[in-house]
Amino acid sequence: APLARAVVQAKVKIIRTLMLNVRQSNTTKSKVIATVNEGQVFTVLQEKGGWYYIQASSKARGWISGAYAVRQ
């Protein structure tokens, strides 16, 4: 048996909006660094204050509002 168990990371799906801003930090005042679309699913790297830190693309990581995401 393998010594290390794989950690299953949470995933979230974008809901209730056609396009969602991905921000540099977990506030709506923060700079938009990318956008994601409704129905897309992302791995959650961190969670803080109702926001999710996601791998939005191969190049971009940022924060999305939990109001527009549902855990998978």
Side-chain angles (χ1 to χ4, degrees), residues 24-44:
Q24 217 162 32
S25 61
N26 60 332
T27 167
T28 54
K29 293 186 175 79
S30 177
K31 183 184 173 192
V32 175
I33 56 166
T35 56
V36 293
N37 301 309
E38 186 174 37
Q40 286 184 294
V41 176
F42 299 96
T43 297
V44 176

Side-chain angles (χ1 to χ4, degrees), residues 10 16 22 32-36 38 46 51 54 57-58:
R16 293 172 44 199
V22 179
V32 175
I33 56 166
T35 56
V36 293
E38 186 174 37
Q46 202 180 328
W51 288 68
I54 62 164
S57 70
S58 58

Side-chain angles (χ1 to χ4, degrees), residues 7-72:
V7 175
V8 178
Q9 287 182 298
K11 289 191 181 291
V12 289
K13 183 177 183 179
I14 308 304
I15 56 166
R16 293 172 44 199
T17 182
L18 291 176
M19 198 173 78
L20 182 63
N21 290 327
V22 179
R23 298 182 180 272
Q24 217 162 32
S25 61
N26 60 332
T27 167
T28 54
K29 293 186 175 79
S30 177
K31 183 184 173 192
V32 175
I33 56 166
T35 56
V36 293
N37 301 309
E38 186 174 37
Q40 286 184 294
V41 176
F42 299 96
T43 297
V44 176
L45 305 172
Q46 202 180 328
E47 195 178 336
K48 184 164 63 175
W51 288 68
Y52 294 110
Y53 186 62
I54 62 164
Q55 183 78 49
S57 70
S58 58
K59 294 175 185 161
R61 286 181 176 187
W63 294 88
I64 57 166
S65 170
Y68 298 99
V70 64
R71 281 186 172 275
Q72 293 296 281

